């Protein structure tokens, strides 16, 4: 699912940390897909330098035309001609390949952005080509071993081909030339940071056939064009060409650093083949342990996750919160909608004491919110949760899947804003879910005669300050199966909110049970909607945990 390079214990944004997180992109992708099916060789392709003719200017219109023409040609699948001395590097050796800061793109120019590049090697063996656009003219950025320090890797840079290409790039902003604000590395994966300068979840250009009974396909950004920012500009524009066995695409990213970091994305897609499950604006994250799911409870830390929930703003204006989980078996959900107003993987729990990890700082991981521009029509926000036993495996994927049939000859246009940061970019004006707790049901001090599951949902929001002294808050609970009992909505003065609590008694089936909850006062909804999917244990595994003194 995610091309990632491998988890690290120190998550600063210097070279080693970014590299390890980017390698986490690659290794996790392979792991995720192998949980479903084996990886297909069409995940990578060997790109060639692409630029307009000498008498033609580069533009997004030109790039779209090129992508459309490319879709009419057979896809050439190859892994790039990378010397074995690079492809055989182990993890520690690959970390020795450092880009020299003094070689940064626009190092001597009056721009608010600079770019540095990743070297090919280890798992990154498909070259990408970089170009700079200035006044409409596109000029390639040629690879040179002089750009890199090879450290103790035993790689002789002078012996490498001088047309090698790069593995990807990262960018810095004028407030800090050392730490990165965005990085593109591996297939079509990229990441960015807000003001806390902390990497977390990833995004992709496109997802194809995720969580299906056939190999997932990973389109690749093969070429990039950097539009040189004008002096005093706080934005930078990057163009990309996407290619794969089933589709080509032209992308434009307008990036503005800050809190949140924003990206305006324009994508023009041209299918080569029919595509069964197209994933637009895909997001990839990790959830291993949280308040509502402690299946892997052998770690000393209370919580381990890059994101704790999927948030959605539907076309009809309903705010929905779906806590993430780490299921025993792969779980797939599709939330139908028409012209969605937004969705994202969020990290709402920003309390260090809930993680206790002073190495990777999960409480600082950014939210990533997708805001569609224009009408996206009918489709669904789809969520994939894959079992994981380790935090180095990104097991969460979310994306928009259009309802329309995807066939060759189409031009599919999507535009959206991306918001990376620690503050939620949309506010409902209603109470929001801050925590979800689950456990055994029943009444404390009384013997349990049957099995039930307890759910406790904490809502917070300024709307509670508007409640009259005699106003009664009620939980509205819907379930697809089972019996609901012991319901309540109680004030939680320590958080300035309310807790909805109830038990759910399942039937004999182990099939998933879907649950919806919101709070209302005087018949009016005062909270967003909490949605959940619970997989009851088999009847034989429904332990009642009755103490011996209970009668």
């Amino acid at each position: 699912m995610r091309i990632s390079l491998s988890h690290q214990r120190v998550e600063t944004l210097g070279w080693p940390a970014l590299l390890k997180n980017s390698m986490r992109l690659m290794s996790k992708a392979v792991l995720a897909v192998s949980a479903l099916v084996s990886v297909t060789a069409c995940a990578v392709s060997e790109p060639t330098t692409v630029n307009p003719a000498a008498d033609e200017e580069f533009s997004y219109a030109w790039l779209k035309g090129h992508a459309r023409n490319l879709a009419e040609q057979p896809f050439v699948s190859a892994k790039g001609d990378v010397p074995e001395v690079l492809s055989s590097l182990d993890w520690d050796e690959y970390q020795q390949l450092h880009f020299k800061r003094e070689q940064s793109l626009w190092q001597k120019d009056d721009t608010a952005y600079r770019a540095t590049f990743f070297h090919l090697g280890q798992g990154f063996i498909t070259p990408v080509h970089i170009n700079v656009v200035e006044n409409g003219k596109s000029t390639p950025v040629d690879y040179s071993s002089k750009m890199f320090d090879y450290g103790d890797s035993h790689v002789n840079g002078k012996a490498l081909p001088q047309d090698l290409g790069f593995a990807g790039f990262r960018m810095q902003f004028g407030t800090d030339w050392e730490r990165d604000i965005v990085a593109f590395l591996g297939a079509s994966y990229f990441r960015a940071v807000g003001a806390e300068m902390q990497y977390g979840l990833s995004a992709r250009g496109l997802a194809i056939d995720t969580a299906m009974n056939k190999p997932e396909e990973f389109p690749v950004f093969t070429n990039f064009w950097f539009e040189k920012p004008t002096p005093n500009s706080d934005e930078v524009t990057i163009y990309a060409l996407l290619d794969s066995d089933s589709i080509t695409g032209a992308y434009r990213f307008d990036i503005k650093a800050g809190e949140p970091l924003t990206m305006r994305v324009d994508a023009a897609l041209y299918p080569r083949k029919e595509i069964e499950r197209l994933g637009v604006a895909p997001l990839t994250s990790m959830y291993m342990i949280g308040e509502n799911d402690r299946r892997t409870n052998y770690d000393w830390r209370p919580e381990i996750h890059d994101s704790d929930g999927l948030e959605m703003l539907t076309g009809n204006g309903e705010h929905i919160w779906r806590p993430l989980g780490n299921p025993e078996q792969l779980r797939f959900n599709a939330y139908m909608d028409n012209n969605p107003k937004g969705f994202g993987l969020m990290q709402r729990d920003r309390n260090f004491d809930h993680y206790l990890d002073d190495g990777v700082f999960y409480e600082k991981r950014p939210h990533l919110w997708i805001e569609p521009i224009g009408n996206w029509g009918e489709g669904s926000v789809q969520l994939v949760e894959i079992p994981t036993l380790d935090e180095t495996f990104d097991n969460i994927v979310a994306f928009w899947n259009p309802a329309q049939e995807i066939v060759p000859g189409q031009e599919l246009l999507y535009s959206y804003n991306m918001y990376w940061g620690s503050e939620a970019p949309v506010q409902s004006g209603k109470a929001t879910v801050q925590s979800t707790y689950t456990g055994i049901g029943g009444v404390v001090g009384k013997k349990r005669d049957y099995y039930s599951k307890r759910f406790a949902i904490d809502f917070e929001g300024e709307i509670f300050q508007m409640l009259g002294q005699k106003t009664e808050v009620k939980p509205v609970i819907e379930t697809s199966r089972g019996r609901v009992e012991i319901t309540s909505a109680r004030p939680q003065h320590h958080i300035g909110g309310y807790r909805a609590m109830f038990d759910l008694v399942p039937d004999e089936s182990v099939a998933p049970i879907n649950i919806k909850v919101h709070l209302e006062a005087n018949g009016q909804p005062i909270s967003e909607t909490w949605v959940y999917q619970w997989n009851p244990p088999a009847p034989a595994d429904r332990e009642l945990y009755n103490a011996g003194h209970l009668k």
Side-chain angles (χ1 to χ4, degrees):
M1 303 278 159
R2 176 180 180 183
I3 291 242
S4 188
L5 288 157
S6 205
H7 196 52
Q8 82 280 7
R9 299 305 306 153
V10 179
E11 284 253 8
T12 57
L13 295 185
W15 165 268
L18 171 60
L19 189 55
K20 283 191 177 181
N21 264 305
S22 300
M23 287 292 277
R24 179 181 170 198
L25 289 174
M26 181 67 74
S27 63
K28 288 188 183 178
V30 175
L31 283 170
V33 176
S34 64
L36 308 174
V37 284
S38 60
V39 177
T40 178
C42 71
V44 289
S45 63
E46 180 179 4
T48 56
T49 302
V50 175
N51 267 313
D55 60 346
E56 190 176 5
E57 290 190 351
F58 177 87
S59 66
Y60 187 46
W62 176 87
L63 182 58
K64 289 194 291 184
H66 178 78
R68 183 194 291 271
N69 292 335
L70 188 63
E72 297 175 355
Q73 305 170 24
F75 174 65
V76 179
S77 176
K79 285 190 175 181
D81 187 13
V82 177
E84 184 180 357
V85 68
L86 294 176
S87 60
S88 63
L89 290 174
D90 64 25
W91 168 242
D92 291 329
E93 290 171 332
Y94 185 51
Q95 287 190 86
Q96 296 295 314
L97 277 56
H98 299 274
F99 188 86
K100 298 177 181 178
R101 291 285 180 176
E102 63 270 19
Q103 296 288 333
S104 299
L105 183 65
W106 304 318
Q107 172 77 18
K108 299 179 180 180
D109 296 319
D110 183 18
T111 63
Y113 294 86
R114 292 178 185 172
T116 57
F117 307 110
F118 290 108
H119 203 289
L120 288 161
Q122 206 206 26
F124 300 103
I125 54 176
T126 301
V128 299
H129 296 279
I130 308 292
N131 307 274
V132 173
V133 178
E134 190 171 4
N135 299 322
K137 181 175 176 58
S138 177
T139 304
V141 177
D142 295 325
Y143 162 86
S144 171
S145 61
K146 295 179 181 180
M147 294 178 172
F148 295 89
D149 179 354
Y150 294 85
D152 297 327
S153 67
H154 308 297
V155 174
N156 180 4
K158 295 180 180 180
L160 296 174
Q162 292 306 297
D163 60 349
L164 190 61
F166 303 99
F169 69 91
R170 51 185 179 161
M171 303 197 79
Q172 301 80 40
F173 185 62
T175 55
D176 186 345
W177 292 128
E178 297 298 317
R179 297 185 293 173
D180 312 326
I181 61 163
V182 65
F184 284 70
L185 180 64
S188 68
Y189 286 86
F190 58 98
R191 297 196 297 169
V193 300
E196 292 192 85
M197 301 295 284
Q198 179 71 44
Y199 278 121
L201 77 168
S202 301
R204 288 193 255 173
L206 202 65
I208 296 179
D209 293 338
T210 303
M212 300 191 68
N213 59 351
K214 59 182 177 180
E216 180 170 2
E217 183 176 314
F218 292 92
V220 179
F221 284 140
T222 62
N223 291 257
F224 291 98
W225 292 262
F226 300 160
E227 195 170 86
K228 184 178 179 180
T230 58
N232 302 318
S233 174
D234 60 355
E235 292 188 357
V236 63
T237 298
I238 298 171
Y239 303 89
L241 176 65
L242 180 137
D243 199 9
S244 78
D245 185 55
S246 298
I247 202 166
T248 67
Y251 284 73
R252 172 174 173 151
F253 300 88
D254 295 311
I255 302 172
K256 184 175 181 180
E259 176 57 47
L261 182 144
T262 60
M263 294 183 182
R264 157 72 186 251
V265 182
D266 294 294
L269 306 174
Y270 305 95
R272 279 193 176 100
K273 301 179 178 179
E274 292 186 9
I275 298 175
E276 189 171 352
R277 180 175 292 165
L278 183 70
V280 177
L283 316 177
T284 305
S285 192
M286 180 275 295
Y287 184 98
M288 180 179 170
I289 303 172
E291 293 159 342
N292 61 292
D293 191 328
R294 298 198 56 79
R295 183 175 66 85
T296 53
N297 62 357
Y298 43 76
D299 194 276
W300 64 272
R301 291 162 293 174
E303 298 189 45
I304 302 173
H305 49 76
D306 287 333
S307 306
D308 56 8
L310 169 65
E311 184 174 352
M312 292 171 278
L313 177 54
T314 68
N316 64 9
E318 183 179 13
H319 290 258
I320 296 174
W321 177 253
R322 164 58 156 82
L324 299 176
N326 180 7
E328 293 185 0
Q329 297 179 333
L330 185 145
R331 188 161 58 194
F332 174 86
N333 282 271
Y335 300 95
M336 307 303 293
D337 202 359
N338 187 17
N339 293 325
K341 295 180 180 179
F343 67 93
L345 292 177
M346 318 297 277
Q347 183 76 320
R348 283 187 176 176
D349 190 342
R350 311 197 73 79
N351 188 332
F352 172 81
D353 291 340
H354 293 180
Y355 305 95
L356 301 177
D357 196 321
D358 60 351
V360 298
F361 301 104
Y362 284 118
E363 78 281 0
K364 295 183 179 181
R365 302 301 170 109
H367 306 307
L368 178 48
W369 180 255
I370 304 297
E371 179 186 61
I373 298 174
N375 294 330
W376 281 17
E378 295 182 351
S380 60
V381 175
Q382 300 192 349
L383 175 66
V384 181
E385 298 165 292
I386 305 170
T388 184
L389 299 176
D390 189 88
E391 66 197 281
T392 62
F393 173 33
D394 275 1
N395 61 320
I396 304 296
V397 187
F399 50 83
W400 173 256
N401 175 240
Q404 71 181 99
E405 186 179 9
I406 308 300
V407 296
Q410 292 175 316
E411 180 184 57
L412 306 171
L413 301 177
Y414 290 95
S415 295
Y416 50 96
N417 291 319
M418 308 181 78
Y419 299 90
W420 307 73
S422 57
E423 298 294 331
V426 295
Q427 301 293 333
S428 67
K430 299 177 181 178
T432 58
V433 177
Q434 297 303 312
S435 300
T436 299
Y437 304 94
T438 63
I440 189 72
V443 178
V444 175
K446 291 186 177 183
K447 185 177 180 179
R448 300 179 183 91
D449 296 321
Y450 53 86
Y451 177 85
S452 62
K453 187 78 167 180
R454 171 67 52 84
F455 293 90
I457 311 153
D458 284 353
F459 293 85
E460 298 181 21
E462 295 182 356
I463 194 169
F464 292 124
Q465 299 176 16
M466 302 171 61
L467 295 177
Q469 292 183 353
K470 296 183 179 181
T471 301
E472 182 181 4
V473 175
K474 296 181 179 180
V476 179
I477 305 168
E478 301 176 35
T479 66
S480 59
R481 285 198 338 273
R483 183 178 79 251
V484 174
E485 61 183 23
I486 316 180
T487 65
S488 64
R490 306 178 184 176
Q492 301 294 298
H493 299 296
H494 65 288
I495 62 172
Y498 265 74
R499 173 173 295 169
M501 193 153 57
F502 62 96
D503 286 1
L504 179 55
V505 183
D507 55 20
E508 296 297 300
S509 173
V510 297
I513 299 177
N514 296 310
I515 317 167
K516 293 179 65 175
V517 177
H518 72 270
L519 298 180
E520 71 173 23
N522 295 327
Q524 299 299 314
I526 60 171
S527 76
E528 67 183 1
T529 302
W530 174 92
V531 300
Y532 202 82
Q533 187 173 77
W534 175 47
N535 293 78
D541 298 328
R542 296 175 184 179
E543 177 64 51
L544 298 183
Y545 298 102
N546 281 320
H549 71 280
L550 297 177
K551 296 182 180 180

